Amino acid sequence: MTKQKTKRWSDYMWIISATYFALGFFNIVFAWLGVICFMIPLLMAILGGGKGYCNKYCGRGQLFLQIGNTLGWSRKHVAPRWLSSPWFRHGFLIFFLFFFIEMIWLTVQVANGIESLHETIHLLWTFNVPWHWAYPVAIEPWKAQFAFGLYGIMLTSLIVGVILTVIYRPRTWCVFCPMGNMTQMISKMKAK
Amino acid sequence: MAKYKAENERDRCVACGVCVSMCPRDAITIYKGCYAVIDEETCIGCGICEKNCPAGVIHKVLR
Ligand code: SF4
Ligand code: SF4
Ligand code: SF4
């Protein structure tokens, strides 16, 4: 039924995203590349590109489409309506920022020698999962701490996003994704 | 003119762009990263966008 559209290079960003997540299982230092996924969408929105990142280039969003549509692992039921309410979206953004700041704070403490390096990743805002096996070559402790922290955030979003893709529709995560929400807020401010 | 058309709840749309990539007529654009806008002239009311919108905010309605 769905017409096959001509694919462009930007339709393959999900491969980069999948590679990113795979690399984190072998060497956590690659998690630093995730900084790009935070900078580019915000910069694009600030420079007037709207939600161009979400609309065309986000590999994580495309990964959910691959899982849900190409593999067909999705019930394709619409998610509860409150998920797209401003209350939930902004509430989740604050929740997310709290953990993001906590991650930065731990990095700073490790940099100052107050805390020692935690070779774990924090998953689903609850579990500290041992991840020392993905740290083969020691680097400066704070740099490693940031990598563990950022990878935990990224992997959490992937896990939640995949679960939502299976239960509801692909890219249900995008309804309240903090990056998507922030870029839309910037876009709305600029459009005024 | 088709019997149906798509209509978007602009205040709830998250501008994710799923509908844009799914629309067989390329009738949808994202207005400045804020919300999806449907070109009523081009839209054939197939409802594909409605079936794929993760937020469930775009609807197939009678013209
Ligand atoms: S909303 Fe988040 S996950 Fe979805 S496309 Fe945008 S940045 Fe990617
Ligand atoms: S798929 Fe739904 S939420 Fe996403 S841009 Fe289209 S109408 Fe908006
Ligand atoms: S109803 Fe069909 S043609 Fe109209 S905007 Fe939605 S997907 Fe496009």
Side-chain angles (χ1 to χ4, degrees), chain B residues 8 13-20 30 36 53-55 57-58:
Chain B
N8 186 16
C13 174
V14 301
C16 63
V18 171
C19 53
V20 177
I30 303 292
C53 171
V57 297
I58 194 162

Side-chain angles (χ1 to χ4, degrees), chain A residues 87-103:
Chain A
W87 286 108
F88 183 73
R89 292 181 76 204
H90 295 323
F92 188 78
L93 176 61
I94 293 166
F95 176 81
F96 170 87
L97 286 176
F98 174 83
F99 282 95
F100 190 81
I101 291 166
E102 194 182 64
M103 184 274 279

Side-chain angles (χ1 to χ4, degrees), chain B residues 5-16:
Chain B
K5 63 171 183 179
E7 219 171 66
N8 186 16
E9 299 175 57
R10 288 187 179 174
D11 56 332
R12 298 284 287 229
C13 174
V14 301
C16 63

Side-chain angles (χ1 to χ4, degrees), chain A residues 1-3 5 50-51 54-55 69 78-79 81 84-85 89 169-172 174-175 184 187-188 191, chain B residues 9 12-18 20-24 26 30 32-34 50-56:
Chain A
M1 181 74 187
T2 323
K3 189 189 79 176
K5 294 194 180 185
K51 282 190 67 168
C54 295
N55 299 161
N69 290 343
V78 69
R81 198 169 159 78
S84 65
S85 69
R89 292 181 76 204
R169 285 176 180 169
R171 287 191 67 182
T172 296
C174 299
V175 173
Q184 190 182 21
S187 299
K188 280 186 172 169
Chain B
E9 299 175 57
R12 298 284 287 229
C13 174
V14 301
C16 63
V18 171
V20 177
S21 59
M22 293 291 174
C23 175
D26 290 325
I30 303 292
K32 292 185 177 178
C34 301
E50 179 177 38
K51 289 202 186 78
N52 285 281
C53 171

Side-chain angles (χ1 to χ4, degrees), chain A:
Chain A
M1 181 74 187
T2 323
K3 189 189 79 176
Q4 279 297 308
K5 294 194 180 185
T6 349
K7 294 244 190 270
R8 300 193 312 143
W9 64 269
S10 56
D11 292 325
Y12 296 97
M13 298 304 280
W14 61 274
I15 297 173
I16 294 181
S17 192
T19 310
Y20 173 83
F21 285 110
L23 285 174
F25 280 81
F26 298 101
N27 193 331
I28 199 69
V29 175
F30 286 108
W32 269 87
L33 293 172
V35 174
I36 300 170
C37 310
F38 279 80
M39 303 305 291
I40 293 181
L42 291 175
L43 277 174
M44 276 183 81
I46 291 166
L47 297 174
K51 282 190 67 168
Y53 183 79
C54 295
N55 299 161
K56 288 199 186 75
Y57 306 110
C58 178
R60 179 176 32 203
Q62 290 179 9
L63 210 47
F64 300 146
L65 290 174
Q66 287 294 327
I67 293 168
N69 290 343
T70 311
L71 295 179
W73 294 355
S74 175
R75 294 197 314 150
K76 310 243 171 106
H77 288 196
V78 69
R81 198 169 159 78
W82 52 261
L83 226 53
S84 65
S85 69
W87 286 108
F88 183 73
R89 292 181 76 204
H90 295 323
F92 188 78
L93 176 61
I94 293 166
F95 176 81
F96 170 87
L97 286 176
F98 174 83
F99 282 95
F100 190 81
I101 291 166
E102 194 182 64
M103 184 274 279
I104 299 290
W105 181 236
L106 181 59
T107 306
V108 170
Q109 282 184 307
V110 169
N112 291 333
I114 301 164
E115 282 271 354
S116 59
L117 174 63
H118 295 37
E119 292 181 25
T120 56
I121 63 164
H122 199 54
L123 281 188
L124 302 171
W125 313 285
T126 322
F127 311 106
N128 280 316
V129 182
W131 213 263
H132 50 269
W133 37 273
Y135 187 46
V137 190
I139 52 168
E140 259 186 88
W142 74 266
K143 287 180 184 164
Q145 189 61 63
F146 181 80
F148 281 111
L150 190 65
Y151 192 72
I153 289 173
M154 299 293 273
L155 197 57
T156 296
S157 73
L158 183 76
I159 294 169
V160 176
V162 169
I163 293 172
L164 291 174
T165 294
V166 173
I167 302 178
Y168 301 113
R169 285 176 180 169
R171 287 191 67 182
T172 296
W173 163 263
C174 299
V175 173
F176 58 92
C177 167
M179 279 329 284
N181 189 6
M182 282 193 281
T183 49
Q184 190 182 21
M185 280 200 282
I186 295 167
S187 299
K188 280 186 172 169
M189 277 191 275
K190 286 188 69 96
K192 272 201 183 124

